[in-house]
């Protein structure tokens, strides 16, 4: 099997994990303390809380656009190569591959008393992994078909657009309830970058056309750059085995990596008991990549119409090898490969949420439940939420309709229907339970596809455990 086809199969396998980092089930689910992580100005429903370390918030999402694992590996009698061909031609350069994972290590919040009784502070640490890639349409077709059937077609190198990062985030948030109608919050973040790989601003093309001095002319115009930090240090000779690698990664996670700063903002506006409007911006920040940095570049232009074979020299010996070496030297001169060690800056993907919510249904007395804010509140809510996230080409967006219900004193339920680039049938369900001050929550979307996860277009799951100190009447 050709090496380019192996690479293509690997891309297709990795390409089934995609999704936007939309936490539509958690947003406005204020019975769960972690709702402050997506809106630092969210309504506070407790005096204090602490998450069970390493178990308070575990989140992952996976998915696919156009294809799934089932499309490639189902036992349906269709030849695997035919399935790969269908996958290659069903994806385009606007399809997005994404993996996102977060694990909370520490999460604590508490209300400040006395003169500052309207203020609330929360802080913690979490680890995050992000991989984001636009499908390299032209390069995938070139790898699958080769250039012999694509004479005159330029293959666009800008389709190579990928970014991956592994980091730890230390954060502290401040929330203030200004009055009964308005509250706001801000969360400062200190990023400790562990590994970063980015190649997002490439240009150029490769084309095979009819030649003048030969049958074909092969032309390559390239301006490609791959930026990395935290990668080269793992290849050092003194790094021996997984234990050394883990020690290096642990040191970087604890503020020994590349440092950055960020901020979140959020508000809640309640003009009446029955209407609530919220909005938030997350990860308005950057990471300065200064340590263990390597940038690889390939920039230049070259046209090849074949080589002239020196038959006399071949007969006498040594001529063919000399001719090939001249060609290699010529190509290397046209495409100087360089490794640069200068620092660079990466921006975090900015996330925006906005929602409006209408509350209705019979009011409950505050003493029916030890997890509410102490006010008489409604048992039902419906609303709409808009989500958007910035990326190197264009933002991703999603629209969610949701229904929230309080069931007795210990259970809260939220159901969502989300429309985005990846699915028109995304139905999610969230549960939050409250027993003896312990809170367990479970949030999952794309439930209709759980009967066959291999054929799912996308899915996300989040769960966690907290201990909550309720508001006293």
């Amino acid at each position: 099997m050709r090496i380019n086809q192996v690479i293509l199969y690997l891309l297709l396998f990795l390409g089934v994990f995609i999704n936007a980092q939309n936490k539509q089930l958690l947003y406005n689910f204020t019975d769960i303390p972690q709702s402050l992580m997506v809106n630092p100005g969210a309504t506070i429903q407790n005096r204090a809380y602490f998450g069970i370390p390493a178990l308070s918030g575990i989140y992952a999402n996976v998915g696919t656009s156009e294809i799934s694992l089932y499309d490639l590996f189902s036992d349906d009698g269709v030849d695997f190569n035919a399935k790969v061909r269908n996958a290659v031609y069903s994806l385009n350069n606007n399809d997005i591959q994404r993996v996102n994972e977060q694990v909370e290590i520490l999460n604590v919040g508490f209300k400040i008393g006395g003169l500052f009784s309207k203020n609330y502070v929360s802080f913690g640490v979490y680890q995050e992994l992000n991989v984001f890639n636009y499908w390299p349409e032209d390069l995938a077709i070139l790898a699958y078909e080769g250039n012999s059937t694509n004479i005159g077609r330029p293959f666009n190198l800008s389709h190579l657009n990928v970014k991956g990062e592994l980091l730890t985030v230390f954060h502290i948030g401040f929330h203030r309830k200004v009055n009964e109608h308005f509250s706001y919050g801000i969360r400062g973040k200190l990023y400790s970058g562990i590994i970063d790989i980015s190649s997002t601003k490439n240009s150029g093309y490769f084309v095979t056309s009819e030649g003048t001095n030969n049958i074909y002319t092969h032309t390559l115009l390239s301006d490609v750059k791959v930026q990395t930090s935290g990668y080269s240090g793992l290849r050092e000779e003194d790094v021996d085995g997984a234990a050394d690698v883990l020690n290096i990664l642990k040191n970087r996670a604890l503020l020994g990596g590349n440092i950055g700063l960020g901020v979140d903002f959020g508000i809640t506006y309640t003009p009446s008991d029955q209407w609530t409007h919220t909005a938030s911006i997350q990860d308005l920040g950057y990471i300065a990549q200064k340590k263990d940095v390597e940038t690889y570049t390939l920039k230049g232009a070259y046209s090849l119409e074949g080589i002239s074979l020196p038959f006399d020299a071949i007969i006498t010996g040594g001529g063919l090898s000399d001719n090939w070496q001249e060609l290699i030297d010529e190509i290397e001169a046209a495409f100087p490969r360089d490794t640069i060690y200068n620092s660079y800056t990466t921006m975090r993907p900015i996330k925006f949420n906005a929602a409006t919510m209408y509350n209705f249904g019979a009011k409950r007395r505050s003493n029916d439940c030890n997890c509410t804010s102490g006010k008489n509140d409604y048992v039902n809510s419906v609303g709409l939420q808009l989500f958007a996230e910035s990326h190197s080409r264009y933002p991703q967006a999603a629209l969610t309709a949701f229904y929230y219900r309080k069931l007795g004193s210990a259970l809260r339920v939220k159901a969502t229907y989300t429309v985005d680039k990846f699915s028109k049938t995304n139905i999610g369900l969230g549960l939050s339970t409250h027993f003896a001050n312990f809170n367990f929550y479970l949030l999952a979307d794309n439930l209709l596809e759980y009967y066959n996860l291999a054929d799912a277009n996308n899915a996300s799951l989040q769960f966690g455990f907290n201990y909550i100190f309720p508001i006293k009447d």
Side-chain angles (χ1 to χ4, degrees), residues 142 147 150 152-157 204-212 216-222 300-306 334-335:
L142 178 61
N147 60 337
N150 291 283
R153 172 180 176 172
F155 292 93
N156 195 339
L157 300 185
Y205 62 87
F206 170 75
V207 62
T208 298
S209 56
E210 294 183 358
T212 302
Y216 297 119
T217 298
H218 309 283
T219 301
L220 177 61
L221 176 65
S222 173
Y302 188 74
S303 291
L304 173 67
E305 285 195 80
F335 291 96

Side-chain angles (χ1 to χ4, degrees), residues 59-356:
Y59 170 81
N61 66 34
V62 296
T64 184
S65 173
E66 300 296 334
I67 64 169
S68 66
L69 283 174
Y70 185 82
D71 294 329
L72 292 174
F73 298 106
S74 61
D75 186 12
D76 54 7
V78 179
D79 182 71
F80 180 73
N81 289 326
K83 294 179 180 180
V84 171
R85 177 181 174 83
N86 292 336
V88 168
Y89 290 105
S90 65
L91 294 167
N92 62 56
N93 67 303
N94 289 321
D95 285 309
I96 300 168
Q97 288 76 51
R98 171 130 194 200
V99 178
N100 178 246
E101 165 269 333
Q102 287 184 0
V103 176
E104 282 187 356
I105 301 169
L106 176 69
N107 195 343
V108 176
F110 55 90
K111 185 177 181 180
I112 301 175
L115 295 175
F116 305 98
S117 60
K118 292 185 176 181
N119 299 337
Y120 194 95
V121 173
S122 59
F123 61 90
V125 184
Y126 64 88
Q127 171 269 321
E128 181 173 356
L129 168 69
N130 280 304
V131 179
F132 190 93
N133 175 60
Y134 287 98
W135 176 253
E137 178 185 5
D138 277 10
L139 302 181
I141 292 175
L142 178 61
Y144 183 77
E145 291 186 351
N147 60 337
S148 61
T149 58
N150 291 283
I151 305 303
R153 172 180 176 172
F155 292 93
N156 195 339
L157 300 185
S158 69
H159 287 188
L160 177 61
N161 193 311
V162 61
K163 177 174 176 57
E165 61 177 358
L166 177 65
L167 69 156
T168 304
V169 182
F170 299 81
H171 61 88
I172 182 168
F174 173 81
H175 177 283
R176 180 171 177 80
K177 183 178 180 181
V178 178
N179 52 45
E180 294 300 317
H181 302 290
F182 183 75
S183 62
Y184 68 88
I186 182 172
R187 183 172 304 279
K189 293 181 174 180
L190 179 64
Y191 306 117
S192 183
I194 301 171
I195 297 176
D196 180 83
I197 299 176
S198 178
S199 183
T200 60
K201 297 180 180 180
N202 301 308
S203 63
Y205 62 87
F206 170 75
V207 62
T208 298
S209 56
E210 294 183 358
T212 302
N213 301 316
N214 208 330
I215 298 176
Y216 297 119
T217 298
H218 309 283
T219 301
L220 177 61
L221 176 65
S222 173
D223 187 359
V224 175
K225 179 168 62 175
V226 180
Q227 296 175 307
T228 72
S229 70
Y231 167 67
S232 62
L234 302 179
R235 310 193 319 265
E236 298 292 340
E237 294 182 357
D238 58 348
V239 178
D240 183 18
D244 286 350
V245 171
L246 289 176
N247 285 333
I248 292 173
L249 298 182
K250 182 174 66 174
N251 178 65
R252 294 176 183 172
L254 300 175
L255 299 179
N258 290 295
I259 301 301
L261 297 173
V263 65
D264 300 348
F265 298 99
I267 60 170
T268 295
Y269 174 55
T270 308
S272 67
D273 284 349
Q274 291 189 279
W275 284 99
T276 302
H277 312 293
T278 64
S280 71
I281 296 177
Q282 297 171 254
D283 287 313
L284 190 63
Y286 71 95
I287 299 178
Q289 310 289 353
K290 297 181 178 181
K291 300 178 182 178
D292 199 16
V293 173
E294 284 188 352
T295 298
Y296 313 106
T297 63
L298 182 64
K299 186 174 183 179
Y302 188 74
S303 291
L304 173 67
E305 285 195 80
I307 60 175
S308 299
L309 296 178
F311 291 103
D312 292 339
I314 293 174
I315 295 173
T316 59
L320 184 59
S321 61
D322 291 342
N323 193 265
W324 277 111
Q325 188 58 49
E326 289 176 7
L327 176 62
I328 293 172
D329 293 341
E330 188 175 340
I331 293 175
E332 289 182 345
F335 291 96
R337 293 170 295 174
D338 198 5
T339 301
I340 303 171
Y341 303 95
N342 295 337
S343 61
Y344 64 96
T345 300
T346 54
M347 306 303 296
R348 300 300 327 280
I350 300 172
K351 292 169 279 292
F352 171 77
N353 286 282
T356 186

Side-chain angles (χ1 to χ4, degrees), residues 7-19:
I7 295 173
L8 175 61
Y9 293 161
L10 180 61
L11 283 173
L12 284 172
F13 182 76
L14 294 177
V16 302
F17 302 109
I18 69 173
N19 206 352

